[in-house]
Structure formats: C-alpha cells, structure tokens
Amino acid sequence: MKQFKAESKRLLDLMINSIYTHKEIFLRELISNASDAIDKLYYQSLQDGSTGLDRDDFEIFLIPDKEARTLTIRDNGIGMTKNELENNLGVIAKSGSLQFKSQMAEKDGDKDVDIIGQFGVGFYSAFMVADHVTVTSRAYGSDEAARWESSGVEGYTVSDAEKETHGTEIVLHIKPSTEEENYDEYLDCYRLRMLVKKYSDYIRYPIRMDMERSRLKEGSKDEYETYTETETLNSMVPLWKKNKNEITPEEYNRFYKEKFFDWEDPARVIHSSAEGTATYNALLFIPSHAPMDYYSKEYEKGLQLYASGVMIMDKCADLLPDHFSFVRGLVDSQDLSLNISREMLQHDRQLKLIAGRIEKKIKSELLTMLRNDREAYEAFFKNFGLQLKYGLYAEYGAHKELLKDLVLFYSSSEKKMVTLGEYVSRMKEGQKDIYYACGENIAQIEALPQTELLRDKGYEILCFTDNVDEFAIKMLGTYEEKNFKNICADDLDLDTDEEKEAIKKLMEEHQDVLDAMKDVLGDKVKEVSLSNRLKSHPVCITTKGQITLEMEKVLNSMPGAENNQVKAERVLEINASHPVFATLCALREKDPDKLKLYTGLLYDQALLMEGMKLDDPVAFSNGICSLMV
C-alpha cells in the first residue's frame, strides 16, 4: 500500500470532517467529475474528430446496491491511465480538470473551456459517506485499465485491472448508519434521484439509474409484479439558457412552481443574461403573494447559485439586496470565484458586479409593470411595498434614489394609490410642499381636524398608514426639490400675511388664557396657541421639531424602549373662531377650576383624534361625567 504524504493526510482528514457542510454534496462532486471526464473526450472529438463519438453517446450511470452497501458512479468519458490515477488521486488537491483547461488554453488559446473542476479535492468528498472507495478506469484509446483503491488516510493501492470500455467507474462502500447519521439514504433510489434534481439537474449529459416499478400482472385485477426501468434523472438543458422566444409562459410558471414550491403562478418573470465584465444567466421571479414568514426573522433571502449548471448554493444572499429580498430565482455563472468546497462564494468583484446588475434589472422590470400594468403592480405592492419602504429608510437612505419611484401611497383626493411623481405632477400653482398625514387607517386620517384647511385649499394629502412611512420620507428628504410636510406640523405656512397678523394680535389679547391652560397641562405640551388651520373642530395637537406624534408612537412601541421614552414637542392649538374658545376666555375670570377641567378634556380629545393613548383615561371619564351632572 502506498501512503499519502503527511500534508495530504491532513488535507484528506480536513476534507472528510470540515470542508463540506453537507455530506450529500459528495454526489454532486462525483457527478461533476464524471461530466468533466466526458467533456474532455467530447472536446477532443470536436478538435480532431478522432473519436467518432457524438454527444448523444455519452452518459453517467448510478447503481445503488443495498445488499452489498455500494453505490457505483459510472461514466464513459475520457478515462485515466494508471499513471493518471496515481497522479490525480494519489496527490490530493491536484486537479486533472484544471490541468486540462490549462493545456487547452496553451494549445488553442481557448480560456473558456467549460470544465467544472478546479481544485482537485471534490473526489475525496466520497470518504464522507464511504469507508472504502474503488476507482477503475480505462483511458480512451488504451487497451489497459487500472484500479485505485483506498480506505481513507491509511493510504491507497494502484493495480492493473480489466475494463471493457473507456471511462471511469467509482464504487463507494457506504458506511453503516449511526444514531447521528443516516448513510442508508445514499442507497435509496428515490433519495438519489432527489439529490440529482437538486444539485446536478442541468449537467449536460444524461444521468441514468435503473428504477424499480410495479404494475398489475397481465390478466390480474389485484396482483402486482415488479420490473426495472432505466430513468433519466436530470433535465440536462437549463430553461434559463434557452432563447426566451422559445419558452412559453406555461413553461416558466411550471418551472417556478416546481423549483420554488409555490402553488400560484409568479406575478412577473425576469429572464436575462449578460456578457463581458460579468457573464451570467439569470431567471428571476416576483411571487404573486408573500410567504407566511416573509416579514419575520425566519425568512431567508437569496437566489440559487449555479456554476456551469451545477448548483453551488441554495440561497446566495449576496446576490439580492434586502429591499428586493422577495425575488426568487437563480443565477448561473462561470466567472465566480468559489471556495475549495464549492459550497460558498469568495467575495469578489464579479459577485458585486452581478448583484448590481440584477438590482438594476429588477427595478427596471418593476417600473415597466408600474407603467404598463398598474393593476398588477398595485397587487404586487400590496404584498411587498412595505419592503420597498424599508429599503428607502435602511442604510441611512443609501438606496433612496433607486426606490423612490417605486413606492405608492394613498391619495386623499384621488382615492387610490399614487406615486410621488404623480402627486408632484398635480401640485397646485405655488404649492411648495408635499403634504402627508399619518394614522392607523385611511378613515382616521381623513377625519383629522388638520385636514380641513388643506381640503379647502384643494391640496392633495398622502395618507401614511405603515409605521415605516414617515421614517422613509424623512430619509428621502425631498422629491423633485419638493419638501415633505406633515400636516400636523406646527407651521404649515399656509396663512396670508393678514391672517398671520390677525392671529398674532388675538394671541396677544388672550395670552393670559393660553398661559393658564399651559400651566394646567405642564410639560405635556410645549405651548398652547391659537390657530387658523381649524374650521369645524375646536382643538388639535401639532408638533415642533423633527419628532412627530407618529414617530413618537412607533419609537416608543419598540422592544426595549420602556425605559427610554421619546417625546415629541406637542402644541395644543385652539380654534380662535370656535365657540369653545369664547367659553374658555369667559372661564378665565369666572371659574378657573372649570377652565382647568375644560383644558384637560380638550387635550385628551385632541389625543383621541390623533389615535394616541390617554395619559389618564379614568380622569377623562370622570371629567365627562362631571359635565353631565
């Protein structure tokens, strides 16, 4: 028996125990090696025509044997000589495929030979599931065959063998199952078929296996017999590499539902490819509904990543930004730098280039849907619009320019969802700001006292009903040089100079009443003032500064905020023309105690209209009762 070198022993031990996360990966690696061996012979045939073989002549065959506990992977590729068995399998991390690519590049300048293997370590993943591995191979054009055998780090033997045809046959003696590991599954035909569909469905050569079937015996109504049928396990031709004009919507929908386990057709299909600095094919889908766990910590974003048709990762999160995390699909590229196990990516420039192009493509498709199929877009936005709004706010607004034209808000005047661009296009002459209001629902917002003045002036109001809305807009800052203004801000600057002067004079005349009310409310409000914004309502609450009432509600409802409450600078505004104000003025001299009662009730009334919780609901109830009796 020949011994692995000390360095190779350590690497082999690492291969078996550390490099691969999932043991099932071994089948992908061995099938990829078989595909590479066929590729080498096929490329040789194309170059010199000496083989007389056609692509249809090639295949990979799986043979599980439960009784013998063996799994055989057989190909009719280029095969290996005795020396090549020694060099390629006796020296760990020496890749015959990589050497072949280098030779082709030197010979013909062809740097794009599509061979999967790079590191020369994939073969040794077999020892994760097998306690003994036998490789019998015969090189194409040779009459001699050789056999390589090993039980792992102890070493290996190479001997002469008999084999009728060219190619390689690998026999794995599968380990016995333990309490922790079920190795028996790698002898089960249906499990093997599933693994082929998962990892190797798009290997370009047929992967076949004999499957046991059952059928009624001829002439019998209830007696069955078993028979064997050879089944091709893989699809071979990836849908994403076909011409888009050759694919029907039904094919896209079927692929999506089978691949991503959805029961509904996707809302949108994005089929794209790129060449040059970043070469890849992408097949992306926008789902027609959000998964149950989409807005939870359990949801895992990412696209399936393929390298030359072999699946490398099931969810590559780096290919999708968070704001487009709802997109499902896959990317196939030969240009990405993989780590040694091919289960993970090395972060490189190519990955970032592909991710950037995919992000732009998704935005382009969403804009097209928004412009050409508004009903479909609004249905999409109902499912995933919240994620786009989070994207506006996230990372200090880093993606706001990308997303600002994709978000929708309900319009008070249009009675439907509108874009920011549509709002701006309808702005009144001389209107300087984009007005919005926050609330739990549309009805509550439309009932706010602050909306009366803007409706009278014919101004459109955007209704914000999601917690993130105002934070997103604050991060956006402006849209087409228009500022956003909350209608509950203390100064909307809608009064004429005459109206401003009149209210200022009135406040000076009744400052004692306003001061008395401020004393009653204490630090609950920053100030009490008179207002021209109110029409039929006697009172409302507005805010000064950057923190609004809605932001106060959201921030204080977050986990851990109990001991660090945020408070907006509230202003209690009184309608100077409402009869209630005249009553308040009269009470200032006649009944100061009743002024205190009325002040508290008016403040609580304003809170209720804003959808805020009362500081003391019992005191509010008692105050109402005292008026009634």
Side-chain angles (χ1 to χ4, degrees):
M1 177 179 288
K2 297 184 179 182
Q3 298 294 313
F4 290 115
K5 293 181 180 179
E7 295 82 357
S8 294
K9 284 186 178 181
R10 287 195 293 271
L11 182 55
L12 182 55
D13 183 67
L14 190 66
M15 285 289 308
I16 297 171
N17 298 305
S18 303
I19 289 181
Y20 290 94
T21 308
H22 305 291
K23 287 182 168 57
E24 65 189 33
I25 294 293
F26 85 93
L27 189 61
R28 181 196 72 184
E29 294 298 311
L30 296 182
I31 289 175
S32 295
N33 287 347
S35 175
D36 283 349
I38 296 173
D39 275 336
K40 294 171 189 176
L41 186 55
Y42 182 62
Y43 283 129
Q44 182 176 318
S45 174
L46 290 178
Q47 282 201 319
D48 55 30
S50 61
T51 67
L53 294 170
D54 188 78
R55 182 184 287 271
D56 295 336
D57 297 323
F58 298 114
E59 69 174 4
I60 301 165
F61 217 95
L62 306 184
I63 309 169
D65 186 333
K66 290 183 178 180
E67 291 186 8
R69 293 195 66 79
T70 61
L71 172 62
T72 301
I73 298 95
R74 187 174 67 207
D75 69 70
N76 57 348
I78 199 165
M80 289 178 280
T81 64
K82 190 173 184 178
N83 285 338
E84 286 171 334
L85 276 174
E86 174 89 36
N87 293 331
N88 292 341
L89 303 186
V91 181
I92 299 174
K94 180 175 181 181
S95 171
S97 294
L98 187 60
Q99 184 179 0
F100 179 81
K101 291 175 78 171
S102 300
Q103 290 172 351
M104 293 291 286
E106 290 176 8
K107 184 177 180 181
D108 300 312
D110 187 356
K111 297 180 181 179
D112 298 320
V113 175
D114 192 6
I115 299 290
I116 301 167
Q118 298 181 61
F119 300 106
V121 296
F123 165 77
Y124 301 96
S125 64
F127 288 103
M128 293 192 297
V129 300
D131 51 25
H132 189 81
V133 178
T134 301
V135 181
T136 306
S137 190
R138 175 178 163 182
Y140 180 81
S142 172
D143 296 328
E144 299 177 351
R147 179 173 292 116
W148 181 96
E149 288 189 74
S150 175
S151 295
V153 293
E154 292 81 6
Y156 64 94
T157 62
V158 179
S159 59
D160 295 330
E162 296 291 329
K163 193 174 185 304
E164 292 184 4
T165 60
H166 61 86
T168 300
E169 182 177 273
I170 302 173
V171 180
L172 310 182
H173 188 272
I174 302 299
K175 296 176 181 178
S177 292
T178 65
E179 290 184 4
E180 293 79 22
E181 295 289 347
N182 177 24
Y183 293 105
D184 292 352
E185 64 179 320
Y186 305 121
L187 298 169
D188 181 78
C189 290
Y190 293 96
R191 174 63 171 154
L192 293 172
R193 181 169 65 178
M194 190 193 79
L195 292 177
V196 169
K197 293 297 287 184
K198 181 177 181 180
Y199 293 107
S200 307
D201 197 30
Y202 305 109
I203 290 290
R204 61 176 66 103
Y205 306 105
I207 303 168
R208 298 192 169 108
M209 183 168 60
D210 288 337
M211 302 285 290
E212 276 196 355
R213 309 289 189 196
S214 62
R215 62 189 174 197
L216 278 171
K217 282 188 175 180
E218 188 174 351
S220 174
K221 293 182 179 180
D222 55 7
E223 193 174 354
Y224 288 82
E225 63 181 1
T226 60
Y227 68 100
T228 301
E229 182 177 68
T230 301
E231 180 180 330
T232 299
L233 307 179
N234 59 324
S235 303
M236 288 181 280
V237 181
L239 189 69
W240 58 88
K241 288 192 176 181
K242 292 182 179 179
N243 191 309
K244 285 187 280 188
N245 299 328
E246 300 173 354
I247 307 173
T248 65
E250 291 74 22
E251 287 179 295
Y252 279 127
N253 293 340
R254 184 168 59 252
F255 178 89
Y256 168 73
K257 287 189 279 193
E258 291 176 355
K259 198 76 173 174
F260 300 102
F261 309 105
D262 202 344
W263 68 91
E264 287 189 64
D265 293 339
R268 197 81 172 180
V269 178
I270 305 172
H271 189 171
S272 68
S273 61
E275 294 182 356
T277 52
T279 300
Y280 66 91
N281 290 283
L283 184 53
L284 313 175
F285 302 91
I286 298 174
S288 56
H289 62 96
M292 292 287 290
D293 63 345
Y294 182 65
Y295 290 107
S296 72
K297 292 181 179 179
E298 286 70 35
Y299 180 79
E300 187 180 359
K301 71 166 184 172
L303 300 177
Q304 289 185 349
L305 178 67
Y306 286 78
S308 302
V310 177
M311 194 175 84
I312 304 302
M313 294 178 69
D314 188 40
K315 289 185 183 293
C316 181
D318 292 329
L319 285 171
L320 269 185
D322 285 345
H323 43 272
F324 290 152
S325 60
F326 49 83
V327 175
R328 307 176 83 172
L330 54 90
V331 171
D332 189 352
S333 175
Q334 304 172 36
D335 293 344
L336 294 174
S337 299
L338 308 177
N339 72 0
I340 196 170
S341 73
R342 295 199 294 192
E343 287 185 271
M344 296 174 61
L345 284 170
Q346 296 176 11
H347 295 274
D348 65 357
R349 179 172 171 271
Q350 293 299 111
L351 180 64
K352 292 179 180 178
L353 280 173
I354 293 174
R357 290 190 179 183
I358 286 175
E359 181 182 47
K360 291 176 182 176
K361 184 63 178 177
I362 294 171
K363 178 191 175 179
S364 173
E365 289 292 332
L366 290 175
L367 281 176
T368 299
M369 182 166 31
L370 173 62
R371 292 164 184 157
N372 300 335
D373 193 348
R374 185 59 172 258
E375 184 178 351
Y377 187 82
E378 290 189 16
F380 150 78
F381 194 81
K382 187 176 181 180
N383 287 310
F384 302 110
L386 190 60
Q387 192 66 22
L388 299 183
K389 294 174 185 177
Y390 280 125
L392 278 175
Y393 176 70
E395 299 180 51
Y396 304 99
H399 310 287
K400 61 185 182 182
E401 292 300 317
L402 179 88
L403 299 173
K404 65 182 181 180
D405 292 315
L406 295 175
V407 293
L408 301 177
F409 300 101
Y410 184 85
S411 164
S412 63
S413 59
E414 297 299 307
K415 304 300 180 186
K416 64 181 182 180
M417 302 295 282
V418 301
T419 66
L420 295 175
E422 289 165 345
Y423 179 102
V424 170
S425 70
R426 291 189 295 268
M427 286 177 64
K428 299 285 184 181
E429 186 177 351
Q431 181 180 344
K432 297 178 292 183
D433 301 309
I434 299 171
Y435 297 108
Y436 68 89
C438 302
E440 293 183 5
N441 52 63
I442 303 299
Q444 183 194 60
I445 292 173
E446 292 184 332
L448 287 173
Q450 295 92 327
T451 62
E452 290 182 311
L453 177 62
L454 283 97
R455 282 202 299 265
D456 284 353
K457 292 181 176 293
Y459 289 152
E460 186 174 353
I461 302 171
L462 297 178
C463 300
F464 289 1
T465 55
D466 289 324
N467 287 344
V468 72
D469 286 349
E470 190 168 23
F471 292 91
I473 289 303
K474 291 277 188 182
M475 191 62 70
L476 184 56
T478 63
Y479 184 86
E480 293 188 10
E481 300 182 353
K482 304 292 184 182
N483 293 313
F484 293 92
K485 185 157 285 189
N486 190 324
I487 67 168
C488 295
D490 65 319
D491 182 17
L492 293 181
D493 196 22
L494 294 176
D495 295 339
T496 62
D497 291 340
E498 293 77 9
E499 289 171 333
K500 290 177 183 178
E501 190 61 35
I503 203 71
K504 180 180 178 183
K505 184 176 180 182
L506 200 57
M507 286 184 64
E508 290 173 353
E509 292 175 2
H510 299 285
Q511 192 62 49
D512 57 336
V513 178
L514 302 177
D515 289 343
M517 296 178 71
K518 172 66 174 73
D519 289 341
V520 171
L521 296 174
D523 60 1
K524 292 180 180 178
V525 297
K526 183 75 173 177
E527 63 181 79
V528 179
S529 67
L530 298 181
S531 172
N532 280 327
R533 84 172 72 208
L534 297 169
K535 299 298 181 181
S536 62
H537 292 276
V539 67
C540 73
I541 287 181
T542 59
T543 57
K544 288 179 173 290
Q546 293 299 311
I547 303 296
T548 65
L549 287 176
E550 183 65 19
M551 296 173 76
E552 176 188 307
K553 278 194 294 185
V554 174
L555 292 172
N556 289 339
S557 67
M558 290 182 174
E562 297 83 2
N563 300 322
N564 190 25
Q565 293 282 288
V566 174
K567 191 170 180 62
E569 294 185 349
R570 303 178 184 184
V571 177
L572 182 65
E573 293 195 8
I574 310 297
N575 186 347
S577 60
H578 197 281
V580 164
F581 181 60
T583 301
L584 294 172
C585 291
L587 290 175
R588 174 72 181 95
E589 298 296 334
K590 295 179 181 178
D591 194 343
D593 289 337
K594 187 166 284 189
L595 177 62
K596 292 180 182 180
L597 173 64
Y598 283 11
T599 298
L601 289 174
L602 286 171
Y603 176 72
D604 286 345
Q605 178 187 345
L607 285 179
L608 288 172
M609 287 188 290
E610 288 290 341
M612 304 287 289
K613 290 183 178 180
L614 298 182
D615 298 331
D616 191 346
V618 175
F620 177 73
S621 177
N622 291 338
I624 294 293
C625 290
S626 69
L627 290 179
M628 295 175 68
V629 299

